[in-house]
Amino acid sequence: MKATGRELVILLPEGKHQNTITEKQTLWLHELLNNVETLENYVKAVEFVNLHRGGITHNPLRIELALQRKVLGSFQFLLHKN
């Protein structure tokens, strides 16, 4: 799960934009988001519901397999835990 095109919008007060500091902080934020948005962390935050097979699973392997599919089957859902 690599973010291919991310757009960050950073709002600064008028007259408070120092290019070097803002550029460093933007790069730091980009690196932080790349480290947090891994497949492992995403699997921890999602549960797979399959109403045909009987309920909710937290099994990481089944969740990864469901994420690899382009389209889930009928009555199959990926739900965020939060």
Side-chain angles (χ1 to χ4, degrees):
M1 272 184 68
K2 189 173 183 180
T4 56
R6 172 178 292 142
E7 293 184 19
L8 297 175
V9 177
I10 300 173
L11 302 175
L12 300 171
E14 284 186 37
K16 295 275 186 173
H17 54 78
Q18 297 174 351
N19 289 338
T20 58
I21 295 172
T22 305
E23 191 172 321
K24 286 180 184 179
Q25 289 178 345
T26 305
L27 289 173
W28 178 80
L29 182 60
H30 180 70
E31 289 176 15
L32 176 74
L33 289 173
N34 277 340
N35 290 334
V36 170
E37 294 175 338
T38 61
L39 182 61
E40 180 181 328
N41 289 335
Y42 190 73
V43 167
K44 289 178 186 177
V46 171
E47 54 192 11
F48 179 60
V49 179
N50 186 352
L51 297 178
H52 290 295
R53 300 258 175 181
I56 300 172
T57 183
H58 302 283
N59 184 345
L61 181 61
R62 289 191 183 191
I63 294 172
E64 285 183 31
L65 290 173
L67 287 170
Q68 290 175 356
R69 297 184 208 155
K70 289 185 179 181
V71 177
L72 293 175
S74 59
F75 301 106
Q76 294 180 346
F77 308 97
L78 285 167
L79 301 175
H80 291 272
K81 293 178 184 177
N82 55 357

